[in-house]
Amino acid sequence: MTVIAVFNRKGGVGKTTTALNLLAGIAQRGVRPFGIDLDPQAHLSGVFDTHPRLADDSVYGFFMGQRPLADVAHISASGVIICPAHLELTKLDTLLGKGVNVITRLRVALKKADQAPGPVVIDTCPLLGVLSLNAIFACDLLLVPVSADFLALQGAQQVERALRALEPVFKRRLPRRYVLTRFDARRKMSSEVADLMAIAFRPDEICKTRIAENVSLAESPARHLDIFRHAPQSQGAQDYKALVEELVGTGFIA
Ligand code: ADP
Ligand code: MG
């Protein structure tokens, strides 16, 4: 079981779009993936039409009430298991603090094999609080989408700095990949950001796949669909299929 967390310190860079379509791309390979929404805005949960009324029926119940993840999980029509978020998650930092037993809670739960048998994809919010730290400590791969603009690159560099600061705790280099999203070859800024990424990050940690700017990718969440169901012939579907294949090729997805 691989755990992939999708994170960037900047919002609007394509984290949720990437989490959604990674889950869908993995499901297309015939395995049942497990999605965990750790963003209080609950956009990923919304795409799956999963809106628990009570916070306890979301991952909040897992963090606060010690409910098993499986207890709050839903099976979506597309075959993805999703543990939904709730707005109350914004209170977790104040309620729980950032002690070691708090930031490793998700990691400990996922290590128990029966909690999530398939590959896990975690969507996050841009804050480096208790939720994102749980995602970072639980993951085998941190995937950092960088929409092709300068602020998204800055957010990704902040992630790199945070990882370096955490590395003495991990006692190893946490595997990470930076993936350029919303790439538009006609826009000068897109190639400038690609060039700056090549300077900022290790070449082997930059995905070969680039996700193009594609209107179908922006449309599909509103229709409660992933890109493969909404527009299977689109550039967006091709790009996310290529990203899943790249992660399979590097052994991150079985
Ligand atoms: P985040 O989760 O990082 O905040 P989202 O995945 O919600 O970012 O994406 C932000 C916005 O950009 C959304 O409206 C989404 O539909 C749109 N978007 C994301 N990726 C693409 C893309 N490759 N092409 C076009 N629009 C995109
Ligand atoms: Mg999001």
Side-chain angles (χ1 to χ4, degrees):
M1 180 200 68
T2 307
V3 180
I4 301 175
V6 186
F7 181 56
N8 187 324
R9 296 290 302 270
K10 166 91 174 54
V13 298
K15 293 183 294 296
T16 300
T17 307
T18 298
L20 169 68
N21 293 307
L22 270 188
L23 285 163
I26 292 168
Q28 286 210 330
R29 296 175 54 78
V31 277
R32 194 187 280 287
F34 197 92
I36 303 176
D37 190 354
L38 294 190
D39 182 353
Q41 290 191 303
H43 288 152
L44 184 68
S45 316
V47 180
F48 290 104
D49 233 349
T50 315
H51 309 272
R53 203 169 51 81
L54 300 176
D56 271 343
D57 293 331
S58 73
V59 287
Y60 181 92
F62 163 75
F63 283 107
M64 287 303 291
Q66 313 284 352
R67 285 186 72 178
L69 279 174
D71 247 32
V72 299
H74 296 248
I75 297 184
S76 77
S78 58
V80 171
I81 301 172
I82 179 85
C83 293
H86 192 282
L87 196 55
E88 289 285 300
L89 286 170
T90 49
K91 298 183 180 158
L92 279 193
D93 279 276
T94 319
L95 292 171
L96 294 177
K98 289 199 187 84
V100 178
N101 59 339
V102 174
I103 59 177
T104 53
R105 198 166 282 182
L106 186 60
R107 176 193 167 84
V108 169
L110 289 174
K111 286 255 175 270
K112 294 183 195 149
D114 57 333
Q115 289 271 319
V120 178
V121 178
I122 307 172
D123 191 20
T124 62
C125 69
L127 300 172
L128 190 60
V130 67
L131 290 164
S132 299
L133 284 168
N134 262 278
I136 291 171
F137 275 84
C139 75
D140 304 301
L141 171 69
L142 193 72
L143 186 62
V144 185
V146 185
S147 55
D149 64 82
F150 299 112
L151 290 179
L153 178 65
Q154 273 181 26
Q157 287 175 296
Q158 288 172 355
V159 175
E160 181 65 33
R161 281 197 290 277
L163 291 179
R164 286 192 191 153
L166 287 169
E167 234 117 50
V169 185
F170 298 141
K171 298 191 177 65
R172 64 178 182 132
R173 189 172 175 86
L174 180 74
R176 64 263 220 173
R177 292 289 182 276
Y178 295 87
V179 57
L180 194 55
T181 67
R182 307 202 67 167
F183 184 81
D184 182 347
R186 293 164 306 180
R187 222 185 273 160
K188 192 161 149 258
M189 184 170 62
S190 281
S191 46
E192 283 177 1
V193 171
D195 291 347
L196 289 170
M197 270 177 80
I199 297 167
F201 308 121
R202 264 175 41 174
D204 58 321
E205 292 178 342
I206 300 173
C207 289
K208 307 243 172 323
T209 307
R210 289 175 178 178
I211 311 294
E213 175 77 17
N214 180 254
V215 70
S216 299
L217 283 169
E219 285 167 355
S220 74
R223 308 211 169 143
H224 300 285
L225 293 171
D226 59 70
I227 193 63
F228 303 106
R229 280 156 204 273
H230 173 60
Q233 308 303 328
S234 64
Q235 185 64 48
Q238 286 175 43
D239 290 347
Y240 275 107
K241 184 169 189 288
L243 182 61
V244 170
E245 278 165 10
E246 183 174 344
L247 296 179
V248 170
T250 45
F252 287 116
I253 298 172

